[in-house]
Amino acid sequence: MTRSSSSPVAEDTPRNNGLGPRTAAMLVFGSSAAVLVVEIVALRLLAPYLGLTLETSTMVIGIALTAIAVGSWLGGRIADQVSPRRLLGPSLGVSGAVVALTPAVLRTTAEWAPAMLLLIASLTILVPGALLSAVTPIVTKLRLTSLAETGTVVGRLSGVGTVGAIVGTVLTGFVLIARLPVSGILIGLGTLLVVGSALIEWRTRGWRSTSALTLVVVAGGLATMVAPGACDTETRYHCARVVADPDRDSGRTLVLDGVRHSYVDIDDPASLKFAYVRAIASVVDTAFPAGEPLAAHHLGGGGLTFPRYLAATRPGTRSLVSEIDAGVVRIDRDQLGLGAEGGIDVRVEDGRIGLRRLDAGSRDLVVGDAFGGVSVPWHLTTVEAMTDVRRVLDEDGLYVANLIDHGDLAFARAEVATLSGTFEHVALVGEPTEIGLDPTATPEGGNLVVLASNRPVDVRATQEALDARQPGWKIVTGDDLTSWISDARLLTDDYAPVDQLLQPYGPRSSQ
C-alpha cells in the first residue's frame, strides 16, 4: 500500500489559489495596521466624552485585544469550514464600512444617547477589530500548501502582522493625528478597506458584491459632516473650540474636550471670569507687593488667562509657560489674541520636563493649571514633581494650583497631602462645604485652589482678598487642613493612582 505524498492541507487547498506571497503579506500587514489605527483613533474620539484617562485607555486596549483574540479564533475556525477565498472580501469590506461610520455614530450617540456610549463604542472597536484580525488565519489557510512549510508560513505571516501593527501605531501617533482630523483618518481607512475588498471580490466574484459597502462608506463621510460634537480644531491632544461670549464682544471661551477650560478677554486681560482664576489672582496678589514684576512658570497654558493677567497687572513680569499641545498654542495666537509682546514665552513641552530645565531658585511663582475635569497628568502631582517645583522657587517663592475633583475629593486630598509633605506651609481655598468648614453639608466638588510655600501664609490678608474678589470662598490651613486631608496617602512616581482617585462630574465645566 502506497502513501500519498500530498498532505491533507494540500488536498483541501489548491496551490493555484490566486493569493501569492506578496499579496498575502500585504493583506496581513494592512489588516493588522488597521486594527491599531482604529484603536488609537477611538481614544481620540472618546476623549471629549470620557476623558483621556487611564480607565479610558485601558477599556479601549482591552476591547481591541478582545477583538484580536475573537477574530483570530473565529477566523481560523470558519476558514476550516468555508472556502477561505469567500471570506476575505467580506471581512475587509464590512470592517471598512463600520470604520467609516464610526465618527458619526459615536458623536451622535454621545450627544443624543450618552447612556449607550460605552456599548456603541465597544461595538465600533470590536466588530472591525475582529473582522480585520480574522484576515491573518484566513490568509494563512490560503497560503498553506503542505504541512512541511507550516512553520515557515505561520511564522512569516505572524511576523508581518506584528510589523503591520507597529507601523499602524507609529504612523497614527506621529503622523496621521498630527496632520488629519480623526474623522478623516477613519473615513480614509474605511475607504481603503472597501477598495481592498473590491479588489479581492473582483478576482473571485465580481464587483457587484461591494457596491452596497461603497455606499455605506460614502454615507459615513456625509454623516460625519453633520454629526453633532464636531471640533473647530483637532489638536494632538484635544478636541478644541473657541466660543464667543454673547454678552461681551471681546470675551472668548476655550473649550477642550467638552470642558470650558479658559476664558479670555482679549481687550481686558485683567478681567477674570472663572472663580478659580479669581481665587488664584487673590492668592498671588496677597503674597507679593502690588505691581511688583515676577518671574513665573506655568504648568499648562490653555488660553493663557493668568499669564496675561500678570502681564497686565504686573508690568515687566516674565512668564514661561509649558504647554504640551502645539495646537492649543496656535489657537492662542490665531484666535485668542496672543502676541509676541507681554513677556509671555510659551514652550511646547511637557510640564515635568520643563521644570527640569529651570535653574534652582529662579522663579518667584509657579502656577499649576494642567488639571482637567476628567483627566489629570499624574506625573505633575507627585512628591518628586513637587520637589522639583520647590527647587525652582526662590526662598520666598509660591506654588499655587487649580485642582478639580468631585465626590469624596479623594484626589484633591491626596494632592494636598503630597504638598504638605513637600512644603513647610500649605493652605487650601474653596467653598466652605468643599474644604471641611461646614461638616454638616455634603461636598459636591468642583474647583479648589491649593497654595504651598516655605514661608508662612498670611491667612487674614488672603481671606480679605478673597472676600473682595470671590465672595463665599474661604481659606483653611493648620489643624483644620490636616483634619480635611485625613488619611490620604501621598502620591509618588511609584504610586499615583490619580485616575482612580479622581471623580469627574457629568457636565465637566470649570467655574
Side-chain angles (χ1 to χ4, degrees), residues 248 250 265-272:
R248 197 178 183 99
S250 57
D265 190 318
I266 296 173
D267 295 339
D268 183 11
S271 176
L272 306 176

Side-chain angles (χ1 to χ4, degrees), residues 107-114 228:
R107 285 171 175 161
T108 301
T109 302
E111 296 295 332
W112 294 345

Side-chain angles (χ1 to χ4, degrees), residues 16 52-53 76 126 143 162 200 249 277 282 309 317 330 346 429 454-455 484 489 508:
N16 186 19
L52 194 59
T53 64
L126 189 63
R143 287 299 305 157
T162 302
I200 294 294
D249 291 341
V277 181
S282 300
Y309 171 82
T317 291
R330 283 194 297 271
V346 184
V429 172
N454 288 328
R455 59 164 163 154
W484 182 85
R489 184 173 173 181
R508 304 193 314 273

Side-chain angles (χ1 to χ4, degrees), residues 5-183:
S5 59
S6 59
S7 68
V9 175
E11 292 172 2
D12 293 339
T13 307
R15 288 181 181 274
N16 186 19
N17 52 40
L19 195 65
R22 290 184 181 178
T23 303
M26 288 176 59
L27 285 169
V28 171
F29 181 93
S31 60
S32 299
V35 173
L36 271 297
V37 174
V38 171
E39 176 185 344
I40 295 172
V41 175
L43 283 169
R44 300 299 301 267
L45 281 172
L46 293 172
Y49 312 105
L50 301 179
L52 194 59
T53 64
L54 180 62
E55 283 92 344
T56 306
S57 302
T58 301
M59 180 192 74
V60 171
I61 293 171
I63 295 171
L65 290 174
T66 301
I68 293 171
V70 170
S72 299
W73 176 56
L74 288 180
R77 186 181 182 117
I78 296 172
D80 284 340
Q81 300 172 2
V82 180
S83 173
R85 290 196 298 173
R86 297 176 56 189
L87 300 174
L88 272 179
S91 295
L92 293 174
V94 174
S95 63
V98 175
V99 167
L101 284 171
T102 293
V105 170
L106 281 185
R107 285 171 175 161
T108 301
T109 302
E111 296 295 332
W112 294 345
M116 298 289 292
L117 181 59
L118 287 179
L119 174 61
I120 300 300
S122 299
L123 291 175
T124 57
I125 300 169
L126 189 63
V127 172
L131 290 170
L132 290 167
S133 298
V135 170
T136 297
I138 292 171
V139 170
T140 302
K141 175 78 173 182
L142 285 168
R143 287 299 305 157
L144 280 174
T145 57
S146 169
L147 288 176
E149 61 179 6
T150 301
T152 301
V153 172
V154 173
R156 182 191 301 124
L157 293 178
S158 176
V160 168
T162 302
V163 173
I166 294 170
V167 171
T169 301
V170 174
L171 182 67
T172 305
F174 286 92
V175 180
L176 297 181
I177 285 180
R179 290 168 171 79
L180 298 171
V182 293
S183 54

